[in-house]
Amino acid sequence: MTQTPTTTAPANTTTGFVPGPLERTAPFYVAGHRGLVGSAIWRKLQAEGFTDLIGATSAELDLKDREAVFAFFAEAKPRYVVLAAAKVGGILANNTYPVDFLSENLRIQVNVLDAALAHGVERVLFLGSSCIYPKLADQPLKEEYLLTGHLEPTNDAYAIAKIAGILQIQAVRRQYGLPWISAMPTNLYGPGDNFSPTGSHVLPAMIRRYEEARIAGAESVTNWGTGTPLREFLHVDDMADACLHLLEHYDGDQHVNVGTGTDVTIKDLAHQVAAAVGYEGRIEWDTTKPDGTPRKLMDVTKLTNAGWTARIPLAEGLRTTVDWYRQHQDGIRQ
């Protein structure tokens, strides 16, 4: 029987870390570099002059395979790691497949973070989600609200997995003194998003639905819920910029919210998406379907204090995302 790799701590763990510019020639592994967030981070790092970027597709490396992950780290020897790989989806997918979202995300996180620890990775950024916060938490959501109430039941399995990731980062800091950090983005969108009818989040799902309705000349489009929940949306290129900024300017035990600090109703979003794709039919609502959390607005004070604010307005981001979708429809996930 093959022995499962352990997480023996490296002998040269560091304390007293001071954030600063990352070395542009150091090996930098982006886990999930083909996904929405990972691909944006990859583009950002390339633009910033990083010359030794490391990526592996799911076909090349199954992050749920512990032994394969440890072998990969032993060969690649990354100095920096961003953990952007995850099983993600919208309300329907999360509510339908909670076992998959819990099990797969836990395995990905534990394997990558354990391997990073065993191989002495200097700097790790773990990416989570705003769904970690209690369903009825005060708004805007502050970092300290974590674990203070019940989660939204439609995506609690995914949220628990991401909370476990935050705690693993904190545990590594406490036990080994490594300057690893976590960031919790709000709802992301942009080039490379998942536009699948059954697996996508609300914004890309709307873009596809309204574009198909425009092409078909449909008289109306029906959306889930009442349209009253409030959501915050951050362009993925802004998220990538924030990730590099945090790696170079932030070191702390607490995770950092990443968002715009402003939100819109789902009903308003539907009208903005319709305008962006040029759909002029009726917009209707199926109130028998769930709304999800009433509001999820991030408090971004910690991020602002670290010197970063979002730059891409929603209207501009929608236009460019619609353009990208139209240019890549042949390769869109079904």
Side-chain angles (χ1 to χ4, degrees):
M1 180 180 296
T2 303
Q3 185 175 3
T4 301
T6 63
T7 57
T8 304
N12 61 340
T13 54
T14 60
T15 56
F17 174 81
V18 177
L22 301 185
E23 183 180 333
R24 265 46 182 175
T25 58
F28 197 136
Y29 172 45
V30 181
H33 77 294
R34 292 286 186 86
L36 172 64
V37 181
S39 62
I41 291 171
W42 189 278
R43 291 194 302 271
K44 175 64 178 177
L45 295 175
Q46 284 183 320
E48 290 292 328
F50 287 85
T51 59
D52 193 3
L53 297 181
I54 303 166
T57 66
S58 56
E60 295 167 335
L61 174 64
D62 181 0
L63 295 177
K64 300 186 298 296
D65 183 335
R66 186 171 178 84
E67 293 183 6
V69 172
F70 271 72
F72 175 80
F73 269 77
E75 180 178 352
K77 297 180 173 59
R79 182 174 174 185
Y80 312 126
V81 171
V82 171
L83 179 44
K87 180 177 178 60
V88 298
I91 290 178
L92 178 61
N94 274 274
N95 200 34
T96 307
Y97 306 107
V99 172
D100 304 61
F101 280 89
L102 180 65
S103 177
E104 291 188 28
N105 282 300
L106 284 174
R107 282 182 284 163
I108 289 169
Q109 294 164 193
V110 169
N111 290 343
V112 171
L113 296 179
D114 280 355
L117 178 62
H119 291 281
V121 174
E122 175 185 313
R123 194 84 160 124
V124 172
L125 172 60
F126 169 73
L127 297 177
S129 166
S130 60
C131 71
I132 62 169
Y133 293 110
K135 177 177 181 177
L136 300 178
D138 291 340
Q139 302 288 324
L141 297 166
K142 299 178 184 292
E143 285 87 355
E144 54 264 33
Y145 294 169
L146 182 66
L147 296 175
T148 60
H150 294 289
L151 299 167
E152 160 58 42
T154 58
N155 62 8
D156 54 2
Y158 178 73
I160 287 293
K162 289 303 177 181
I163 291 169
I166 295 172
L167 295 182
Q168 187 167 355
I169 292 291
Q170 293 173 344
V172 167
R173 293 180 62 92
R174 185 165 66 249
Q175 188 169 344
Y176 297 113
L178 289 170
W180 294 8
I181 57 176
S182 298
M184 299 300 114
T186 188
N187 299 290
L188 300 173
Y189 71 99
D193 211 337
N194 178 1
F195 293 85
S196 163
T198 58
S200 60
H201 289 95
V202 59
L203 195 152
M206 279 188 177
I207 288 176
R208 178 169 183 157
R209 190 181 311 127
Y210 282 86
E211 175 69 352
E212 291 178 347
R214 180 190 67 81
I215 294 171
E219 294 182 355
S220 66
V221 172
T222 301
N223 303 289
W224 274 31
T226 63
T228 58
L230 289 153
R231 290 292 182 272
E232 176 183 15
F233 296 95
L234 179 72
H235 194 282
V236 71
D237 287 345
D238 267 345
M239 178 62 198
D241 188 58
C243 286
L244 181 56
H245 184 89
L246 287 171
L247 282 166
E248 297 190 322
H249 296 87
Y250 175 76
D251 182 46
D253 293 331
Q254 197 171 51
H255 61 280
V256 180
N257 290 339
V258 181
T260 64
T262 60
D263 56 9
V264 296
T265 65
I266 296 298
K267 186 171 292 186
D268 184 25
L269 177 69
H271 286 279
Q272 289 198 47
V273 170
V277 304
Y279 176 73
E280 298 179 349
R282 296 192 310 278
I283 297 175
E284 299 179 343
W285 300 88
D286 182 354
T287 57
T288 67
K289 296 294 192 296
D291 271 332
T293 304
R295 192 183 193 194
K296 286 201 304 182
L297 176 64
M298 296 285 225
D299 184 309
V300 293
T301 302
K302 183 182 289 291
L303 181 63
T304 302
N305 289 343
W308 189 90
T309 55
R311 299 177 177 85
I312 302 174
L314 180 59
E316 176 187 336
L318 282 176
R319 286 195 301 271
T320 58
T321 303
V322 169
D323 289 343
W324 185 92
Y325 172 71
R326 287 171 173 166
Q327 293 167 11
H328 295 81
Q329 285 192 53
D330 291 343
I332 294 297
R333 280 175 278 185
Q334 300 300 317

